[in-house]
C-alpha cells in the first residue's frame, strides 16, 4: 500500500479559465510541475480527478480532455514528473448533451473518481490526501475516506511540501 496525492486540475494544477481543453490556453499554477515531482520523489502516487462538465454542455469532446492530459503528461516529463492516472467526469445533471445528462457518482462532490482510482491502485487511504480549490473537492475526499486540503495559492509546490511531511 502506498500513499497518494489526488490533485483537482483546474485551479490547482492550472489556472482556472473556465472550460479549458486547449493546450494554447493552458497555464500551470506557479510551482505545479515541481509539486507533482515532489509527490513522485516522496514515493507517493500522483493522481488527477477533475469535473469536466464542458463535455456535457457540448463545449468540447472527451477526446479533447484526453489530448490535454497527454500534453500535460509530456510537459510534466520535461521536469521529471508524472501523473499515475487521470480521471474525469464528463457528466452534469442539467447537460445539454443528452448522453451526459445524469446525476452520477463520479461528479464531485461525490467520491466516485477517487474510489475508482483506489480500486485500481494499492492506495493507503490513511496516508493519502486530495488537494482542491473548492469545498466540493474536500467533500469528495472525505467521502472517499481521505483528507482534503483547500489550496488557495499562490504556490502549489510550497503547499504540497507542507503537507507531504504530515501527509
Amino acid at each position: 500500500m502506498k500513499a497518494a496525492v489526488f490533485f483537482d486540475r483546474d485551479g490547482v494544477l492550472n489556472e482556472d479559465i473556465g472550460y479549458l481543453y486547449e493546450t494554447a490556453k493552458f497555464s500551470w499554477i506557479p510551482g505545479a510541475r515541481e509539486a507533482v515531482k515532489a509527490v513522485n520523489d516522496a514515493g507517493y502516487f500522483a493522481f488527477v480527478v477533475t469535473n469536466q462538465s464542458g463535455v456535457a454542455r457540448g463545449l468540447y469532446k472527451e477526446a479533447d480532455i484526453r489530448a490535454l492530459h497527454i500534453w500535460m503528461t509530456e510537459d510534466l516529463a520535461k521536469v521529471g514528473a508524472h501523473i499515475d492516472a487521470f480521471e474525469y467526469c464528463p457528466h452534469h445533471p442539467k447537460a445539454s448533451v443528452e448522453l451526459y445528462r445524469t446525476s452520477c457518482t463520479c461528479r464531485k462532490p461525490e467520491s466516485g473518481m477517487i474510489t475508482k482510482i483506489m480500486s485500481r491502485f494499492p492506495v493507503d487511504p490513511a496516508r493519502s490526501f486530495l488537494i482542491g480549490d473548492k469545498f466540493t473537492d474536500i467533500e469528495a475526499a472525505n467521502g472517499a475516506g481521505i483528507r482534503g486540503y483547500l489550496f488557495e495559492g499562490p504556490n502549489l509546490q510550497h503547499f504540497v511540501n507542507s503537507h507531504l511531511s504530515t501527509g
Side-chain angles (χ1 to χ4, degrees):
M1 297 291 273
K2 208 163 128 174
V5 177
F6 293 81
F7 293 97
D8 175 45
R9 196 187 81 184
D10 302 328
V12 174
L13 290 175
N14 58 273
E15 300 291 341
D16 189 353
I17 62 167
Y19 306 113
L20 173 68
Y21 66 96
E22 299 161 287
T23 58
K25 294 181 179 176
F26 186 98
S27 178
W28 291 102
I29 290 279
R33 287 177 288 192
E34 298 80 5
V36 174
K37 184 166 179 11
V39 167
N40 299 153
D41 291 348
Y44 286 52
F45 286 120
F47 301 121
V48 172
V49 288
T50 177
N51 285 348
Q52 291 298 312
S53 70
V55 173
R57 298 170 197 273
L59 302 174
Y60 48 90
K61 307 280 185 205
E62 286 191 69
D64 296 320
I65 298 169
R66 290 190 295 271
L68 181 61
H69 291 169
I70 289 167
W71 179 87
M72 288 173 67
T73 299
E74 292 166 351
D75 204 53
L76 284 166
K78 294 174 186 174
V79 298
H82 70 274
I83 298 293
D84 292 290
F86 288 87
E87 282 293 329
Y88 65 88
C89 173
H91 308 116
H92 194 278
K94 297 178 182 170
S96 55
V97 179
E98 188 175 347
L99 175 65
Y100 298 105
R101 190 180 310 131
T102 184
S103 293
C104 61
T105 59
C106 57
R107 182 173 175 74
K108 293 179 282 182
E110 300 298 326
S111 57
M113 286 187 283
I114 300 167
T115 57
K116 183 176 180 183
I117 287 174
M118 290 170 74
S119 72
R120 291 176 30 219
F121 291 85
V123 173
D124 178 358
R127 296 187 301 134
S128 300
F129 58 91
L130 176 141
I131 299 172
D133 66 326
K134 295 180 176 69
F135 288 110
T136 52
D137 297 317
I138 308 310
E139 240 182 285
N142 293 337
I146 64 173
R147 283 167 292 152
Y149 298 113
L150 198 61
F151 175 68
E152 298 177 296
N155 186 295
L156 188 59
Q157 180 183 16
H158 298 152
F159 187 84
V160 165
N161 286 339
S162 73
H163 291 294
L164 281 177
S165 57
T166 62

